[in-house]
Amino acid sequence: MIEISHVTKRYGSTTVVDDVSLEIPPGGVTSVIGANGAGKSTLLSMVSRLLEADSGRITVDGLDVTTTDSGTLARTLAVLRQENHVAVRLTVRDLVAFGRFPHSGGRLSEADHRAVDEAIDYFELAAFADRPLDRLSGGQRQRAHVAMVLCQGTDYVLLDEPLNNLDMRHSVHIMRRLRTMADELGKTVVMVVHDINFAARYSDRIVAMRDGALVAHGPVDTMLTPGVLRDVYDLDIPVHELHAGPIADFYG
Ligand SMILES: Nc1ncnc2c1ncn2[C@@H]1O[C@H](COP(=O)(O)OP(=O)(O)O)[C@@H](O)[C@H]1O
Ligand SMILES: [Mg+2]
């Protein structure tokens, strides 16, 4: 479980995350939605200790993220940041292998190598596995970063806009992988996604933020409604029921 309790973050006099309390149960996929600047990345960064909260408390699997030692935290939770500007001369394989660091301490075992190879294959990175990151397309680089994060093998996985720059094939590929991780391995996946229909199709729960606060959260069918979408985006969006579930029609 991820427990976020009365968490606030300010920059100067501006409150960008405002007294947020939220429990994310273990297992399953949760999508965080909301407009640009709503506070999604700030919240995820505090959960993954990339950023310190001004007040409040966050625990992941019972570990207080501010006091847990970094090795333990890195074996519990992996995070994909929204901006990936890692040292560009690293090859894809080096980057993915980096994900094993909390387990290997730098000396990869046979099992670590297998995990790296498997991730490279799954994300269709083999053709340029030995190429530096700065000689890849944006989508290829994004896939390499996702592969690294999943290679970490943690029970909790946080991804900030994992579908950035990705074509439909690779977007579906990643979403299916996350779904399988939740369903078959009991992982807890939390991600920021802008495409609400992707979020709806592949998530169990949706958390909606606006101006640093939670607008609403709950199971997908309670969230994909014209009322909630109006509250989140200030748009009147019809929602249709398809065989696979509700779909928001942004194209009218
Ligand atoms: N380092 C910073 N200094 C000042 N303001 C910031 C900083 N980082 C983010 N913000 C502001 O905090 C708000 C929330 O940002 P963010 O969490 O990145 O939003 P989201 O991920 O939902 O688009 C935005 O208004 C942004 O401009
Ligand atoms: Mg963001």
Side-chain angles (χ1 to χ4, degrees):
M1 171 143 66
I2 297 176
E3 286 184 277
I4 299 168
S5 179
H6 297 291
V7 166
T8 293
K9 180 72 187 176
R10 293 186 195 85
Y11 289 109
S13 59
T14 310
T15 303
V16 301
V17 170
D18 191 4
D19 193 30
V20 166
S21 293
L22 176 69
E23 284 185 5
I24 298 175
V29 178
T30 300
S31 285
V32 182
I33 64 167
N36 296 147
K40 307 178 297 296
S41 293
T42 305
L43 187 64
L44 250 64
S45 296
M46 292 188 291
V47 173
S48 50
R49 197 166 61 187
L50 300 170
L51 197 63
E52 203 179 339
D54 291 324
S55 56
R57 185 165 184 269
I58 299 170
T59 63
V60 176
D61 201 18
L63 305 169
D64 186 323
V65 298
T66 56
T67 56
T68 301
D69 73 273
S70 46
T72 304
L73 199 60
R75 287 186 292 273
T76 305
L77 175 145
V79 61
L80 175 77
R81 311 174 73 146
Q82 187 175 351
E83 314 292 346
N84 289 311
H85 299 297
V86 170
V88 285
R89 295 311 297 181
L90 227 52
T91 67
V92 170
R93 187 179 299 281
D94 290 341
L95 179 77
V96 177
F98 226 63
R100 297 305 302 165
F101 192 83
H103 307 276
S104 68
R107 277 184 61 93
L108 268 62
S109 67
E110 273 302 305
D112 291 325
H113 280 296
R114 270 200 305 279
V116 171
D117 287 339
E118 194 270 338
I120 285 173
D121 282 344
Y122 186 86
F123 291 102
E124 302 181 333
L125 299 164
F128 34 83
D130 297 310
R131 212 190 286 173
L133 294 169
D134 62 352
R135 288 195 226 147
L136 299 179
S137 78
Q140 292 167 340
R141 196 155 44 234
Q142 178 75 357
R143 273 151 52 207
H145 280 92
V146 172
M148 172 190 69
V149 168
L150 299 192
C151 220
Q152 212 171 313
T154 55
D155 283 343
Y156 291 79
V157 181
L158 272 52
L159 306 122
D160 199 344
E161 301 198 21
L163 306 186
N164 269 355
N165 293 316
L166 295 188
D167 59 43
M168 279 308 237
R169 174 185 171 81
H170 289 104
S171 297
V172 168
H173 220 68
I174 285 183
M175 293 304 244
R176 285 185 179 160
R177 173 75 167 222
L178 297 174
R179 195 62 259 171
T180 304
M181 283 165 45
D183 291 342
E184 292 176 12
L185 303 173
K187 309 260 182 187
T188 306
V189 178
V190 181
M191 64 187 160
V192 177
V193 183
H194 279 300
D195 186 323
I196 181 130
N197 290 320
F198 254 114
R201 174 64 183 81
Y202 289 98
S203 309
D204 302 296
R205 290 171 294 274
I206 294 181
V207 172
M209 293 185 72
R210 180 169 181 160
D211 299 333
L214 293 186
V215 178
H217 57 96
V220 167
D221 54 340
T222 67
M223 294 293 290
L224 217 68
T225 67
V228 171
L229 296 178
R230 191 177 318 109
D231 290 345
V232 178
Y233 298 110
D234 262 338
L235 284 172
D236 286 312
I237 307 293
V239 174
H240 307 300
E241 202 59 43
L242 294 190
H243 65 282
I247 185 163
D249 178 7
F250 286 94
Y251 315 109

